[in-house]
Amino acid sequence: MQPFTVLTGIAAPLPLANVDTDKIIPARFLKTIKRTGLGVHLFDTLRFDGNGAERPDFVLNTEPYRHAEVLIAHENFGCGSSREHAPWALLDFGIRCVIAPSFADIFHTNCFKNGILPIALPREVCDQLMEDARMGGNARLTIDLSRQVVVRPNGEEIPFAVDALRRQMLLNGLDEIGQTMQRGPAIDAYETRLRQQAPWMPGINAT
Amino acid sequence: MANTAKTLFDKVWDSHVVERLDDGTCVLYIDRHLVHEVTSPQAFEGLRLAGRAVRRPDATIAVVDHNIQTSDRSQGIAEPESRIQVETLEANVAEFGVPYFPVRDARQGIVHIIGPEQGISLPGMTIVCGDSHTSTHGAMGALAFGIGTSEVEHVLATQTLLQKPAKNMLVQVDGELPLGCTAKDIVLAIIGEIGTAGGTGHVIEYAGEAIRELDMAGRMTICNMSIEAGARAGMIAPDDTTFAYIQGRPYAPKGEAFDRAVEYWRTLPSDPGAQYDRVVTLHASEIAPMVTWGTSPETVLPITGAVPDPASVADEAARVQMQRMLDYMALTPGQELASIPVDVVFIGSCTNGRIEDIRAAAQVARGKHVAPGVRAMVVPGSGLVKQQAEAEGLDRVMLDAGFEWREAGCSMCLGMNPDKLKPGQRCASTSNRNFEGRQGPGGRTHLLSPAMAAAAAVTGRLTDVREMA
């Protein structure tokens, strides 16, 4: 996983609530067996008309937002399905940070596994950042994960909260599975206990 | 003295903590891992690249459901990309030794139908799947939740997940459900009440007389849509209804082992005095058959209602969003819901693809006929549901009424297979999501119960099932 330390980039305003994962990446694009290449389908129905032509009024089809690395949205971003294709599509497009008043749980978790930082800030702060974002290429936001601040174009610093363990994983781009596998003996011990305490729990054998 | 009373969620959580880390994150043991073709290829690829094995194949079950066609499959999967995904799963389960129900096995079906059906999903377990509707299995009294593909890989490799405990939320549904109303109407009413983010960060426990009275199919419908309320999971305390459902299922414990299991399962219900972070109470007697009008599951009203007016919404962003929904759905404020014509009716999905759902639809459709110009389809949730329905003659009832009778799968719930709405088509659907384009680009979805869906098929418009003779 690509580490996330400090990001300075263009932020795209997307003033919508309940942006669901079907909107981020419709199901018909989930037939891939890879993690990459989904950026061209990000927000497909918002971005393209029925003939595949760009909708000129959609923010990511306009300059400078084609190069956005941050997305600002409204409440409950990423609701709906568990598809990790949603963060994969965002990442493949170039988005490394999403700022919104709230996130759906599974999407929120999926972001951290892919080097994307989701930041929850109060609605009025998001509205300010949305205004900053509307200023386009001259108003870049800086997101500093080690100091846990968003720096507005006017220099104001907005602190944000992030889970300590997830922050550490992001900062260092750690392989979470490798970390957990180091806890193998504890998992072995749990399984031994499980076999003793719940011997009625059968294994699955599909034949 | 500290309150030591625990909720059902607390008990299942605590019994699965392998290790508690400094910041409160837990290494949580996973008892059952359900795998399907869409969210697993990248996880298996990750294992392969890192040279890792599946830690417990015997706690894992794989099946194809999302993008297989529901027409004849004897010649294999027709659509090339879908076929590659299915073949990739088959290669992966062979390489990693994961148990698998192939397409031609009668046990094949939607992953959330077959778990309970096979006795794979049991009370007190932790159950995960790379699919948000994993919450379905919470009806057994399990802690069941959807995960992303990175977490699928994590579970395959370690049989654990790194998680922080959720908050407890109690949704109490008191009283008796009126005639013509079903579990689907209860859960739609709950989502309408608390909103699509109402359960965020929480595990919802459903309780109260109306929940206790439901059969397991109804309980699964309720828990299934917990994710539409934003909750991490939904759970219902196991009771005699649960145990009777489990007994005799292929992978359930047998004989003395079953008795020992029941003894343990009886300790799972929340203790008296257990604390919840939030409590919501609904009165079942006030619930009517529900139908959604917008493009979020929370945009739901009784069928007797009318399309709301954006002009009545004070917040500008919310007003704009409501207008956008009405434009997308091609509805006008004040329009009676029961006057809205439909083009397609879909009965199926992990929400409502069980035998009980098909029986409810057949009861309405029996001796009647699908309205002219309406395409109506029934997609059983599993091969075994289909067999059971055919043994009861329900396929004949539906076919005679002009419905299509199809093979098991996710089908038009998410339009990954050929079962899609065409742009502008309006569908009365027993599935779980009415998002823009969910059932096909430009398609319009109204969520409702199987009985309501059958009624809409017969009249050609959204219809109050209580008015059907």
Side-chain angles (χ1 to χ4, degrees):
Chain A
M1 185 176 76
Q2 196 184 344
F4 187 111
T5 48
V6 182
L7 169 72
T8 298
I10 292 163
L14 189 70
L16 290 174
N18 300 317
V19 173
D20 57 72
T21 51
D22 279 77
K23 207 169 265 158
I24 299 172
I25 182 98
R28 60 186 178 282
F29 301 116
L30 308 189
K31 299 188 186 192
T32 176
I33 54 172
K34 298 196 199 125
R35 284 181 159 92
T36 51
L38 287 165
V40 290
H41 302 304
L42 177 70
F43 294 119
D44 188 83
T45 42
L46 293 172
R47 239 166 107 199
F48 305 106
D49 66 19
N51 301 316
E54 284 190 356
R55 295 181 195 274
D57 56 342
F58 183 63
V59 63
L60 297 183
N61 289 333
T62 61
E63 292 294 345
Y65 304 111
R66 289 178 190 279
H67 315 287
E69 292 176 87
V70 182
L71 201 59
I72 320 279
H74 286 170
E75 288 79 4
N76 199 27
F77 191 90
C79 62
S81 113
S82 63
R83 62 188 69 163
E84 200 159 313
H85 308 69
W88 293 338
L90 286 166
L91 189 66
D92 199 56
F93 181 88
I95 305 282
R96 297 288 316 272
C97 174
V98 184
I99 303 177
S102 58
F103 293 88
D105 288 326
I106 305 175
F107 174 82
H108 189 255
T109 298
N110 285 342
C111 282
F112 283 100
K113 314 288 181 193
N114 291 282
I116 298 177
L117 176 62
I119 301 178
L121 289 169
R123 172 66 184 262
E124 52 280 13
V125 178
C126 288
D127 285 344
Q128 285 177 345
L129 295 174
M130 194 82 76
E131 286 310 312
D132 290 342
R134 287 191 171 111
M135 286 155 57
N138 297 323
R140 287 162 200 257
L141 293 182
T142 293
I143 289 93
D144 186 334
L145 178 58
S146 54
R147 293 174 52 229
Q148 290 183 232
V149 288
V150 176
V151 187
R152 296 182 62 196
N154 66 6
E156 184 195 346
E157 296 198 344
I158 299 165
F160 63 87
V162 57
D163 184 278
L165 186 69
R166 286 173 162 174
R167 174 174 170 274
Q168 211 51 38
M169 295 269 188
L170 264 191
L171 282 173
N172 300 302
L174 293 177
D175 165 21
E176 190 180 295
I177 296 174
Q179 300 280 307
T180 304
M181 286 185 92
Q182 291 177 13
R183 305 181 186 283
I187 303 172
D188 291 342
Y190 181 92
E191 285 179 340
T192 303
R193 224 161 51 233
L194 182 69
R195 277 192 293 273
Q196 289 162 356
Q197 288 171 4
W200 47 264
M201 201 191 286
I204 305 167
N205 177 342
T207 51
Chain B
M1 201 178 84
N3 184 358
T4 54
K6 286 183 177 185
T7 64
L8 167 62
F9 164 71
D10 296 337
K11 293 181 190 185
V12 179
W13 177 273
D14 290 350
S15 67
H16 287 83
V17 173
V18 172
E19 212 176 330
R20 207 175 303 265
L21 310 181
D22 292 341
D23 76 333
T25 301
C26 294
V27 180
L28 192 73
Y29 194 78
I30 302 301
D31 294 317
R32 288 286 184 258
H33 187 189
L34 316 170
V35 172
H36 65 77
E37 78 276 21
V38 178
T39 56
S40 67
Q42 297 86 352
F44 283 113
E45 181 68 9
L47 292 184
R48 201 176 289 117
L49 290 174
R52 290 167 180 152
V54 173
R55 184 180 173 96
R56 278 200 60 197
D58 71 319
T60 314
I61 180 79
V63 71
V64 284
D65 55 6
H66 276 62
N67 62 34
I68 48 170
Q69 72 239 27
T70 57
S71 51
D72 176 43
R73 303 196 282 235
S74 58
Q75 306 304 312
I77 310 294
E79 209 269 323
E81 281 184 301
S82 297
R83 190 171 61 239
I84 290 170
Q85 224 171 32
V86 171
E87 287 169 355
T88 302
L89 180 70
E90 294 187 336
N92 284 331
V93 297
E95 180 182 344
F96 289 92
V98 170
Y100 172 59
F101 294 156
V103 180
R104 288 183 208 180
D105 192 313
R107 297 170 294 179
Q108 178 271 337
I110 306 173
V111 66
H112 309 309
I113 303 277
I114 66 164
E117 186 173 83
Q118 291 294 320
I120 287 170
S121 312
L122 298 172
M125 281 182 164
T126 48
I127 302 171
V128 297
C129 173
D131 191 288
S132 59
H133 290 110
T134 308
S135 57
T136 312
H137 310 260
M140 314 300 299
L143 173 60
F145 52 94
I147 56 178
T149 298
S150 295
E151 291 189 312
V152 169
E153 186 180 338
H154 195 280
V155 176
L156 288 172
T158 70
Q159 206 57 37
T160 67
L161 278 175
L162 296 183
Q163 293 262 317
K164 279 195 171 166
K167 289 187 234 171
N168 279 289
M169 178 168 173
L170 178 68
V171 173
Q172 174 92 12
V173 188
D174 290 328
E176 232 176 286
L177 199 60
L179 212 63
C181 294
T182 66
K184 185 65 166 282
D185 303 303
I186 297 180
V187 74
L188 286 172
I190 291 169
I191 296 163
E193 174 79 18
I194 69 174
T196 50
T200 304
H202 293 76
V203 167
I204 299 177
E205 180 180 341
Y206 302 95
E209 186 190 351
I211 303 292
R212 292 258 73 83
E213 290 300 314
L214 291 174
D215 60 16
M216 291 309 292
R219 295 180 188 187
M220 288 183 227
T221 299
I222 302 244
C223 288
N224 173 275
M225 289 190 74
S226 301
I227 186 72
E228 273 62 58
R232 286 207 205 164
M235 301 177 83
I236 293 174
D239 60 10
D240 288 340
T241 302
T242 322
F243 310 144
Y245 174 92
I246 292 167
Q247 193 161 23
R249 298 207 172 251
Y251 293 96
K254 308 265 186 316
E256 196 199 338
F258 180 77
D259 297 337
R260 282 187 68 178
V262 170
E263 199 179 317
Y264 169 62
W265 295 338
R266 284 197 194 282
T267 68
L268 291 171
S270 297
D271 297 327
Q275 295 295 308
Y276 294 86
D277 298 282
R278 189 176 169 201
V279 177
V280 174
T281 304
L282 271 77
H283 299 281
S285 61
E286 293 167 11
I287 292 174
M290 305 293 279
V291 58
T292 62
W293 53 265
T295 56
S296 168
E298 71 184 12
T299 54
V300 66
L301 285 169
I303 181 67
T304 50
V307 176
D309 189 351
S312 66
V313 178
D315 179 66
E316 196 202 332
R319 184 167 61 244
V320 169
Q321 199 139 8
M322 183 187 275
Q323 187 59 54
R324 185 191 155 87
M325 285 187 190
L326 296 191
D327 292 345
Y328 183 84
M329 294 295 289
L331 296 173
T332 46
Q335 192 176 357
E336 282 183 22
L337 294 175
S339 72
I340 298 172
V342 300
D343 306 302
V344 177
V345 172
F346 170 62
I347 297 172
S349 85
C350 58
T351 313
N352 283 124
R354 282 166 281 271
I355 186 66
E356 292 83 352
D357 300 311
I358 296 174
R359 285 179 193 142
Q363 200 182 339
V364 174
R366 187 183 295 272
K368 300 193 176 64
H369 204 276
V370 171
V374 174
R375 178 190 183 197
M377 54 201 288
V378 183
V379 182
S382 72
L384 292 176
V385 169
K386 182 167 185 265
Q387 275 184 7
Q388 175 67 28
E390 288 170 356
E392 295 178 21
L394 302 179
D395 58 326
R396 277 323 323 166
V397 173
M398 301 313 281
L399 284 164
D400 290 349
F403 287 77
E404 297 170 22
W405 182 253
R406 305 184 71 90
E407 302 293 333
C410 297
S411 182
M412 200 182 270
C413 174
L414 83 168
M416 273 195 81
N417 75 346
D419 307 336
K420 286 186 185 63
L421 294 181
K422 298 186 182 82
Q425 275 191 327
R426 188 183 297 283
C427 181
S429 179
T430 68
S431 54
N432 41 58
R433 289 192 178 129
N434 52 353
F435 299 155
E436 282 183 28
R438 168 81 178 179
Q439 297 190 286
R444 299 168 178 141
T445 303
H446 296 274
L447 302 175
L448 33 56
S449 74
M452 287 280 286
V458 169
T459 64
R461 57 175 171 81
L462 299 180
T463 298
D464 190 336
V465 68
R466 296 170 299 187
E467 290 168 6
M468 300 288 288

